[in-house]
Amino acid sequence: MAFEVDKKRLRVTGIVFGLLLGVALTVLSIISFYIILSTSSVVVISSIPFIFSVLIPVLLVVVLCFNFRKRVGGFWIMREAATGIFIMFFMAFITQFILRDQLFAKVIEPHMIEKTQTAMTHSVSKFLTENKTSPDIIKKKLDEIQSEFDVQKETTIRKQIQGLGISIIFIFVLAIIFAAFFKKDSYATNAGNNATV
C-alpha cells in the first residue's frame, strides 16, 4: 500500500518552511547589499550577487526540501512534492516581498537602488581607469550601468502586476523541477526492496 502524505501537515510545513526561507533570503539580500556598498572591488561586486542570490539559496532550498520530506513522513509522490515545495516557495516570495521590498527597501533603505548604482559605478570606473581603458569604453560601460538601474527605478503598478504573474509562473516551474529531484514514492521503494529479497 502506498504511503499518503497528510495534506494539512503538507500545507503547514510548507508555510513554516516558506517563512524560514523568506527570512533567510531577505537576510542574505541585505548582507549582499551592504557588502557591495563596503567594497570597491569589481571581482567582489560581480561575484556577490551569484553567491548570495543563487549559490547559498540553492543549498538552503536543498536542505529544506530534505527536511520537508522527512517532516511529512519520508515519502511523497510527485504531486505532493510539487504542492508542498510550491507552497514553500510562494510563502518565501511573499515574505521576501514584505520584508525586503517593502520594509527594507522603502523604509530602512529608501535609496537602496541609488546607493547600489553609485557603488557599482565607482568600482567599475576605478577598475577600468586603473587598467588604462579608453575613456569612450568607460563612458559606454557606465551608460550601460545607468540604463540597467533606470529600468529598476521605473516601477508602475502595471509592471508590478506583470512581475507578480511572471514570478508565480517561475515559482511553479521551479517547484516542479525540485519536486522531480526530491519525490520519493513509498510504493516504488517497497517494490524495489521486495524485489531484492
Side-chain angles (χ1 to χ4, degrees):
M1 188 178 172
F3 176 84
E4 202 169 310
V5 171
D6 181 87
K7 289 179 174 62
K8 186 182 176 184
R9 180 179 277 192
L10 187 76
R11 288 193 297 270
V12 171
T13 307
I15 291 167
V16 171
F17 278 28
L19 288 168
L20 288 171
L21 180 60
V23 170
L25 293 176
T26 301
V27 170
L28 287 170
S29 184
I30 292 168
I31 291 169
S32 170
F33 168 67
Y34 285 119
I35 290 173
I36 287 169
L37 293 190
S38 67
T39 185
S40 60
S41 168
V42 174
V43 176
V44 173
I45 286 177
S46 58
S47 62
I48 283 296
F50 173 76
I51 294 168
F52 283 84
S53 301
V54 179
L55 189 63
I56 298 174
V58 167
L59 293 173
L60 187 59
V61 167
V62 168
V63 171
L64 285 173
C65 284
F66 273 120
N67 282 289
F68 197 157
R69 188 175 67 193
K70 190 177 177 183
R71 188 73 64 92
V72 296
F75 300 98
W76 53 7
I77 58 173
M78 180 70 184
R79 181 172 44 80
E80 292 165 342
T83 301
I85 293 170
F86 176 78
I87 292 169
M88 179 175 75
F89 284 169
F90 187 72
M91 276 306 301
F93 172 75
I94 297 295
T95 305
Q96 198 174 13
F97 175 76
I98 293 166
L99 295 179
R100 185 194 66 189
D101 301 341
Q102 300 305 308
L103 181 64
F104 183 76
K106 291 188 178 175
V107 179
I108 300 167
E109 283 286 359
H111 303 291
M112 184 178 176
I113 295 173
E114 291 84 351
K115 286 182 178 180
T116 307
Q117 181 183 347
T118 302
M120 284 190 72
T121 302
H122 173 71
S123 62
V124 169
S125 179
K126 183 184 174 187
F127 175 78
L128 293 174
T129 304
E130 286 175 353
N131 285 279
K132 296 179 174 58
T133 308
S134 156
D136 290 339
I137 295 172
I138 294 174
K139 186 180 182 304
K140 187 181 175 184
K141 188 64 185 171
L142 295 181
D143 286 343
E144 285 173 12
I145 293 170
Q146 177 73 47
S147 62
E148 284 173 17
F149 279 94
D150 284 344
V151 171
Q152 290 182 44
K153 290 172 192 173
E154 295 170 11
T155 51
T156 60
I157 294 171
R158 187 180 172 185
K159 279 189 177 180
Q160 286 180 331
I161 292 168
Q162 285 176 338
L164 178 65
I166 292 165
S167 296
I168 291 170
I169 292 166
F170 178 73
I171 288 167
F172 179 72
V173 171
L174 206 59
I176 289 171
I177 292 167
F178 273 91
F181 280 105
F182 290 97
K183 68 181 168 84
K184 190 175 183 185
D185 193 336
S186 64
Y187 181 77
T189 304
N190 291 335
N193 290 338
N194 291 336
T196 56
V197 172

